[in-house]
Amino acid sequence: MKVKVSEKLDDIKTLLSEIKGVSEEVGAVIIFVGSARGIGNDGGRVLRLEYDAYEEVAVKTLEKIIGDLRDKYGIIDAVVEHRIGQVNVGEDIVYVLVASKHREEGFKAAIEIVERLKREAPIWKKEITDRGARWIENI
C-alpha cells in the first residue's frame, strides 16, 4: 500500500511497475488519473486550481479506505496519490492504482476509492476561473 499527499505526484509508469510486482497473483491493474479540466463548475475558464489538505489525516483516511476495500473486495494492493498546491489546467491531480486478481474487483475498488476520497479525505479544492474563485466541496 502506498498513499501520498504532496505537491508532486510520482511517475505513473514507475507506480505501475511497482504495483504489478507486489505479487505473482496480480492479474489486473486498474488505473484512474484525475486531471484539471479547463472549464470550471461555474462555467468559466479555469485559470488554476489550488489544493490544500490536512496531510496526516488525509493519508490515514486513504490508508483506511484501502484497508476496508482489501477486506471488501479482496484486492491485492493499491496506490493513491493526490496533489496539493497549485495545479494548472491539463495537469494530473490524483492517481489511483488497484492491483487485483481479476478485473471486476479491481474496477469496483477503484471506483469506491475515488468516491470515498472525495467524501472522506480532508483535501480541499479552490477553483480560480475568469469569473472568480470559490472553494469546491467533494473535490
Side-chain angles (χ1 to χ4, degrees):
M1 173 189 326
K2 179 178 182 183
V3 174
K4 179 178 169 183
V5 176
S6 72
E7 291 187 8
K8 186 175 185 308
L9 298 173
D10 291 329
D11 176 69
I12 191 85
K13 290 180 185 177
T14 302
L15 294 174
L16 175 60
S17 178
E18 289 172 359
I19 201 166
K20 285 172 71 175
V22 298
S23 170
E24 290 183 356
E25 291 190 276
V26 174
V29 176
I30 309 303
I31 300 174
F32 170 81
V33 177
S35 59
R37 292 186 308 270
I39 303 298
N41 290 320
D42 65 0
R45 186 175 60 82
V46 172
L47 304 176
R48 70 183 178 281
L49 302 174
E50 294 174 3
Y51 285 88
D52 196 4
Y54 186 176
E55 292 178 48
E56 291 175 16
V57 175
V59 167
K60 287 181 181 174
T61 300
L62 294 168
E63 288 173 344
K64 181 184 182 318
I65 291 168
I66 292 169
D68 291 349
L69 299 180
R70 273 189 177 149
D71 294 340
K72 183 174 181 178
Y73 296 114
I75 61 173
I76 297 168
D77 202 2
V79 173
V80 179
E81 293 196 2
H82 199 295
R83 283 183 62 184
I84 54 174
Q86 182 173 309
V87 178
N88 295 312
V89 172
E91 291 182 337
D92 293 344
I93 302 163
V94 61
Y95 293 154
V96 174
L97 293 84
V98 176
S100 57
K101 292 178 184 178
H102 308 283
R103 68 185 175 276
E104 184 176 356
E105 66 265 23
F107 277 115
K108 288 178 180 178
I111 289 168
E112 193 165 329
I113 289 170
V114 173
E115 294 305 316
R116 287 185 63 185
L117 178 157
K118 290 175 159 284
R119 287 191 317 266
E120 298 174 28
I123 302 172
W124 307 282
K125 173 173 74 172
K126 186 175 189 180
E127 188 177 74
I128 296 93
T129 72
D130 58 1
R131 296 182 181 179
R134 66 187 194 132
W135 289 98
I136 306 295
E137 290 189 38
N138 294 325
I139 61 166

